[in-house]
Amino acid sequence: MIRKENLENIPALAENPIKNQIIEAFFDKRNQHGNEVGSFQEIGFEQFVMVMSHFRPPNLKTTKEEKQEMRKEKLRFLFNMHDTDGDGIITLQEYRKVVEELLSNSGAMDQDAAHEIADAAMLEVASTNVPQMSPEDHYEGITFQHFEQILKDLEMETRMFIRFLDVDTTTMHCGKATS
């Protein structure tokens, strides 16, 4: 079984500004291709592989329909990373947290500047997604449909994947160990 603290000890994640969201994504029940909401305390190998499957790249035989489905799965995975309360909406507070972690934790700017950037970006998203919104209206946040629309031109099928190129296959042993 894998617990969150096991993933927190991975050196490659140590400096990642969204380390917490990445780790949480492994334990988010929404990322297990089901309709459950909530979080696991620990996951098994199958659940770990299920989350990793979101990062598989398309191959030469992948059909257009399969690529579209892979894209939707990856978008849903990313959306779930930022919709931390699982209500189906990325709120300004959730968005601020992401921007803050990306910008202020990296030392690029302070927390107030990160909040201002998040607020301006959310206002831009609101004006794009709800063009007839008046100044008195309150924008609830980014729905999955809005999220898809915002990222419609981003080619992620071949970008959001993990390669295991650092594996030294000469030291791998399969089968019975010899002593």
Side-chain angles (χ1 to χ4, degrees):
M1 297 304 284
I2 301 169
R3 300 183 65 78
K4 292 177 185 176
E5 51 268 13
N6 301 124
L7 297 180
E8 289 171 357
N9 295 322
I10 297 174
L13 275 177
E15 298 300 318
N16 193 311
I18 59 168
K19 170 184 157 183
N20 293 332
Q21 284 97 333
I22 293 169
I23 292 171
E24 288 296 326
F26 279 92
F27 297 88
D28 188 331
K29 292 179 180 181
R30 298 173 295 171
N31 293 331
Q32 297 295 327
H33 296 289
N35 293 325
E36 282 188 79
V37 176
S39 184
F40 293 108
Q41 294 300 309
E42 56 186 21
I43 57 172
F45 180 73
E46 287 181 22
Q47 293 162 314
F48 179 82
V49 171
M50 181 68 72
V51 172
M52 292 300 291
S53 74
H54 290 90
F55 298 98
R56 72 186 183 283
N59 61 44
L60 296 174
K61 295 179 183 179
T62 305
T63 66
K64 185 178 180 179
E65 292 79 24
E66 290 170 328
K67 283 182 183 177
Q68 288 173 335
E69 185 59 30
M70 286 175 75
R71 176 182 177 75
K72 192 167 191 110
E73 284 179 20
K74 289 178 182 192
L75 284 171
R76 178 57 76 179
F77 181 86
L78 287 173
F79 182 84
N80 290 346
M81 279 181 67
H82 304 304
D83 175 25
T84 56
D85 63 4
D87 67 354
I89 296 173
I90 300 173
T91 63
L92 177 57
Q93 290 73 26
E94 290 168 324
Y95 190 68
R96 275 183 180 159
K97 184 177 182 212
V98 172
V99 172
E100 180 183 318
E101 287 180 359
L102 285 172
L103 299 177
S104 64
N105 289 354
S106 69
M109 62 184 58
D110 65 17
Q111 188 175 9
D112 291 337
H115 277 196
E116 287 178 22
I117 289 172
D119 292 351
M122 188 63 88
L123 187 59
E124 179 67 25
V125 168
S127 68
T128 302
N129 291 316
V130 190
Q132 64 277 14
M133 194 169 107
S134 71
E136 301 85 43
D137 291 338
H138 175 70
Y139 184 60
E140 296 294 324
I142 303 169
T143 64
F144 181 67
Q145 291 74 24
H146 290 161
F147 193 73
E148 281 184 299
Q149 184 64 29
I150 293 165
L151 298 175
K152 73 179 185 307
D153 295 326
L154 178 65
E155 197 282 309
M156 66 181 350
E157 294 78 6
T158 58
R159 291 182 181 214
M160 189 177 146
F161 67 94
I162 295 174
R163 286 189 187 163
F164 297 97
L165 295 177
D166 294 336
V167 176
D168 182 2
T169 57
T170 62
T171 61
M172 295 177 70
H173 301 282
C174 297
K176 292 183 180 179
T178 56
S179 36

